[in-house]
């Protein structure tokens, strides 16, 4: 089987809190606006240098005399701190990382877990930063609503501390950094090897390879090699899934009790699916500012083909758009009644209970000529920033760099090797799929700021949620002006704080 580069500079990863990747954001491009390139890494060596030997640029003589660095974090996201060693590999890697960073910088790390959903968390932080009523040196929060706080002026420019924060280093998520940058290098949030939350929130498809080999053929040749050759496309997905159906309850009707080639619950899978097909929301103009291109002809064509896949293809079962519907599809997959379904990386551990074989694979390309596969990361993925109320922004920046570089060296390899490739994936070829998924993460400025732009990343998927006749073109024409004005407002707000 063909080999691919194992996560070389691959992605933003790190300490594991699976539940933080789930849920609707309201509840719980190609360069320069995105990237198909790797973002952080978990290879053992970079060139000839072992990853643990890669040094950051922080001074060697830092000692803040026990100063408390207070991190305001989402509830339950234990990716920065753990109370004690437990003999569990990843937990202990996190624990040892925090001890090293505290000792290296002469600080005490204090984590405050907010106990709030995404929207309430963002609103609460606005109030904390405005009032400066309590210490808050770093925030570790979901991105969907949090990005707005940057252009509202509540966060420090991270590029002002570039003597400490070096975003060219492998522990930073280069794709995110590039997509979130605005103007002359201004960046307010970062992501990287501080947290495995992004890794666990990466999305693709899960395939029951036992069913595949029974119904389609050899999975090595017809699936894994096809993917690694860059030939995994929407047409191939349709070809494989349309012939897979079995009337399990014998009632002569196609219903939710039967076996299908592909199961979809649109709320959980359509945004990821569109990103995989190469849908791009914006591109940068000559001034480096984003402009909307969502309404182009290619995206309209993708929307039409998606409707055809979902509602006019044999072997495809579409459930409703609720979380319960998504859970129903996943349960059918686990029971061996669905060949292909949406999958978030955090689900892989639960799939090991299955009696049949499985693998996680990337979403297909729209066509072979597409530059690369693209992987969507759930909008609840954790991002890090320095609020304007921080007691010592320079120390906050040093803390972020130290935590990210140490995580890259010692936490990420444990997450990737022990939690994913060895513990969750059953064979080496499945590990190759994980490498491919995590090395093709894609971000877009407009996608990152969707909450401030009318939830624009949900517009295209909404055309096929519970409908077989969505009209993307008419919907875009009706809403284009509103979206364009919202994007203009975001850009103008950034210009006012540059």
């Amino acid at each position: 089987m063909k080999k691919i580069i194992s996560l070389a500079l691959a992605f933003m990863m790190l300490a594991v809190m699976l539940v933080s990747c789930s849920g609707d954001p309201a509840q719980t491009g190609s360069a320069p606006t995105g990237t198909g390139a790797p973002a952080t890494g978990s290879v053992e060596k970079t060139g000839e240098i072992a990853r643990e030997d890669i040094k950051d640029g922080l001074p060697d003589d830092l000692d803040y005399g026990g100063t408390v660095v207070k991190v305001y974090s989402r509830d339950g996201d234990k990716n920065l701190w753990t109370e004690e060693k437990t003999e569990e590999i990843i937990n202990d890697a996190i624990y040892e990382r925090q001890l090293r960073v505290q000792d290296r910088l002469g600080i005490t790390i204090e984590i405050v877990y907010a106990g709030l959903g995404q929207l309430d968390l963002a609103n609460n932080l606005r109030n904390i930063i405005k009032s400066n009523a309590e210490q808050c040196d770093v925030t570790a929060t979901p991105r969907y609503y949090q990005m707005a706080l940057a252009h509202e002026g509540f966060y420090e420019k991270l590029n002002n501390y570039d003597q400490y924060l070096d975003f060219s280093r492998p522990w930073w998520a280069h794709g995110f950094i590039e997509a979130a940058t605005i103007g002359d290098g201004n960046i307010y949030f970062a992501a990287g090897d501080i947290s495995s939350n992004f890794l666990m929130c990466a999305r693709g498809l899960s395939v029951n390879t036992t069913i595949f080999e029974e119904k389609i053929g050899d999975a090595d040749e017809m699936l894994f090699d096809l993917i690694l050759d860059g030939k995994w496309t929407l047409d191939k997905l349709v070809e494989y899934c349309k012939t897979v159906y079995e009337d399990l309850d014998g009632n002569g009707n196609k219903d939710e009790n039967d076996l299908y080639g592909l199961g979809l619950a649109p709320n959980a899978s359509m945004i990821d699916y569109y990103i995989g097909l190469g849908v791009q929301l914006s591109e940068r103009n000559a001034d480096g500012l984003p402009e909307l291109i969502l309404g182009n002809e290619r995206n309209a064509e993708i929307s039409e083909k998606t409707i055809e896949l979902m509602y006019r293809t044999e072997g495809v079962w579409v459930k409703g758009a609720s979380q319960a519907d998504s859970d129903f599809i996943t349960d059918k997959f686990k029971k061996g009644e669905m060949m292909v379904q949406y999958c978030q990386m955090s689900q892989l551990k639960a799939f090991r209970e299955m009696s049949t074989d499985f693998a996680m694979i990337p979403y297909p390309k729209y066509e072979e000529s597409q530059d690369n596969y693209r992987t969507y990361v759930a909008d609840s993925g954790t991002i890090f920033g320095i609020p304007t109320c921080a007691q010592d922004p320079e120390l906050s920046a040093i803390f972020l760099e130290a935590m990210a570089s140490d995580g890259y060296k010692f936490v990420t390899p444990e997450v990737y090797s022990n939690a994913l490739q060895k513990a969750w994936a059953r064979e080496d070829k499945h590990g190759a799929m994980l490498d491919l998924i995590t090395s093709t993460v894609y971000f877009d400025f407009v996608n990152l700021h969707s909450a401030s732009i009318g939830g624009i990343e949900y517009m295209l998927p909404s055309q096929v949620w519970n409908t077989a006749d969505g009209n993307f073109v008419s919907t875009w024409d009706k809403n284009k002006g509103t979206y364009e004005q919202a994007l203009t407002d975001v850009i103008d707000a950034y210009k006012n704080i540059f």
Side-chain angles (χ1 to χ4, degrees):
M1 183 152 194
K2 298 176 178 64
K3 299 292 184 180
I4 59 175
I5 297 174
S6 176
L7 276 189
L9 300 176
F11 186 49
M12 17 191 161
M13 324 189 150
L14 322 45
V16 140
M17 201 59 213
L18 308 183
V19 296
S20 65
C21 302
S22 62
D24 179 69
Q27 310 304 321
T28 41
S30 55
T33 55
T35 182
T40 69
S42 65
V43 290
E44 290 307 312
K45 291 178 179 291
T46 299
E48 296 301 318
I49 304 174
R51 66 163 48 223
E52 63 268 22
D53 294 330
I54 299 176
K55 297 184 180 299
D56 56 41
L58 297 178
D60 293 329
D61 56 351
L62 293 169
D63 186 351
Y64 283 86
T67 297
V68 172
V69 174
K70 196 167 186 178
V71 182
Y72 198 91
S73 177
R74 65 198 307 167
D75 186 46
D77 194 351
K78 311 297 185 183
N79 49 27
L80 288 175
W81 181 268
T82 183
E83 295 295 330
E84 59 185 0
K85 296 187 74 170
T86 64
E87 303 304 319
E88 193 279 319
I89 292 174
I90 297 171
N91 175 87
D92 291 355
I94 297 166
Y95 182 80
E96 290 163 2
R97 187 260 302 265
Q98 67 206 32
L99 294 182
R100 283 192 298 270
V101 171
Q102 287 184 142
D103 182 66
R104 179 184 184 188
L105 304 183
I107 62 171
T108 300
I109 302 169
E110 184 177 327
I111 309 294
V112 177
Y113 291 111
L116 299 169
Q118 289 200 44
L119 180 57
D120 289 339
L121 177 59
N123 288 334
N124 196 44
L125 275 170
R126 280 188 182 90
N127 294 330
I128 289 174
I129 299 169
K130 277 182 183 178
S131 65
N132 197 17
E134 58 183 278
Q135 183 180 344
C136 181
D137 300 305
V138 169
T139 62
T141 51
R143 74 155 170 87
Y144 189 75
Y145 291 110
Q146 195 68 21
M147 294 294 298
L149 273 67
H151 57 77
E152 292 172 16
F154 292 113
Y155 277 82
E156 297 279 342
K157 294 179 188 176
L158 299 181
N159 47 297
N160 285 346
Y161 305 96
D162 57 7
Q163 70 269 43
Y164 304 115
L165 288 166
D166 184 352
F167 291 131
S168 71
R169 307 308 292 273
W171 39 85
W172 292 113
H174 301 147
F176 178 90
I177 300 295
E178 188 174 42
T181 298
I182 182 75
D184 187 19
N186 297 301
I187 179 73
Y188 299 85
F189 289 109
D193 286 270
I194 299 176
S195 167
S196 61
N197 175 269
F198 264 88
L199 176 62
M200 296 301 152
C201 290
R203 293 179 174 178
L205 296 173
S206 55
V207 179
N208 185 311
T209 51
T210 299
I211 297 176
F212 187 95
E213 297 204 328
E214 290 175 353
K215 304 289 187 180
I216 307 298
D218 180 67
D220 275 352
E221 179 182 349
M222 300 181 69
L223 186 62
F224 299 120
D225 284 354
L226 184 85
I227 291 169
L228 294 176
D229 286 339
K231 298 179 179 180
W232 175 232
T233 63
L234 175 59
D235 287 341
K236 188 60 69 171
L237 174 67
V238 171
E239 175 190 333
Y240 286 167
C241 292
K242 69 181 181 182
T243 61
V244 178
Y245 171 77
E246 189 174 335
D247 185 7
L248 295 181
D249 58 9
N251 66 3
N253 298 317
K254 287 190 172 182
D255 56 35
E256 63 185 21
N257 300 315
D258 297 338
L259 182 148
Y260 291 90
L262 173 65
L264 290 171
N267 77 314
S269 56
M270 297 316 297
I271 297 172
D272 333 350
Y273 168 87
Y274 280 121
I275 293 295
L277 293 177
V279 167
Q280 191 170 327
L281 280 68
S282 69
E283 63 184 7
R284 304 278 178 153
N285 61 23
D287 296 322
L289 299 175
E291 293 182 340
L292 291 177
I293 60 168
L294 179 58
N296 63 30
E297 184 177 339
R298 184 177 187 274
N299 290 346
E301 183 179 317
I302 289 174
S303 179
E304 289 300 315
K305 291 202 73 170
T306 301
I307 290 170
E308 180 179 345
L309 166 71
M310 294 179 66
Y311 301 106
R312 301 168 198 155
T313 302
E314 295 293 324
V316 175
W317 177 258
V318 179
K319 190 69 173 166
S322 70
Q323 185 60 46
D325 295 322
S326 176
D327 293 341
F328 180 86
I329 295 290
T330 298
D331 287 342
K332 282 186 70 66
F333 180 82
K334 290 166 68 175
K335 290 188 294 185
E337 297 177 0
M338 197 73 69
M339 185 175 75
V340 180
Q341 67 125 28
Y342 142 90
C343 178
Q344 187 159 285
M345 202 166 285
S346 59
Q347 295 176 298
L348 293 179
K349 187 174 183 179
F351 290 169
R352 290 189 60 79
E353 302 169 1
M354 292 168 52
S355 60
T356 51
D357 289 333
F358 71 92
M360 186 176 181
I361 64 173
Y363 278 100
K365 301 177 181 180
Y366 183 55
E367 55 211 351
E368 283 188 31
S369 59
Q370 185 174 312
D371 287 346
N372 209 338
Y373 300 107
R374 287 183 178 179
T375 297
Y376 177 82
V377 176
D379 55 28
S380 55
T382 303
I383 58 177
F384 294 81
I386 303 173
T388 54
C389 65
Q391 60 174 339
D392 184 347
E394 182 177 278
L395 172 56
S396 296
I398 290 170
F399 168 80
L400 290 175
E401 185 78 3
M403 290 288 283
S405 65
D406 196 283
Y408 168 82
K409 298 172 188 177
F410 302 109
V411 180
T412 295
E414 299 296 355
V415 172
Y416 188 75
S417 298
N418 291 283
L420 294 180
Q421 282 191 322
K422 292 180 182 177
W424 296 0
R426 296 183 175 185
E427 299 180 38
D428 289 343
K429 60 193 174 187
H430 300 174
M433 293 297 102
L434 298 181
D435 286 349
L436 184 56
I437 290 166
T438 55
S439 66
T440 55
V441 173
Y442 178 86
F443 297 98
D444 181 293
F445 179 91
V446 168
N447 164 258
L448 293 179
H449 292 81
S450 180
S452 299
I453 311 175
I456 189 171
E457 68 177 336
Y458 291 93
M459 199 216 97
L460 191 55
S462 72
Q463 298 306 296
V464 296
W465 287 0
N466 298 316
T467 178
D469 56 2
N471 190 320
F472 169 72
V473 174
S474 63
T475 302
W476 172 253
D477 289 343
K478 181 167 41 175
N479 294 285
K480 177 182 178 182
T482 300
Y483 287 133
E484 289 181 334
Q485 184 58 54
L487 176 57
T488 296
D489 291 344
V490 168
I491 294 171
D492 287 346
Y494 272 119
K495 288 179 178 178
N496 287 334
I497 61 172
F498 286 168

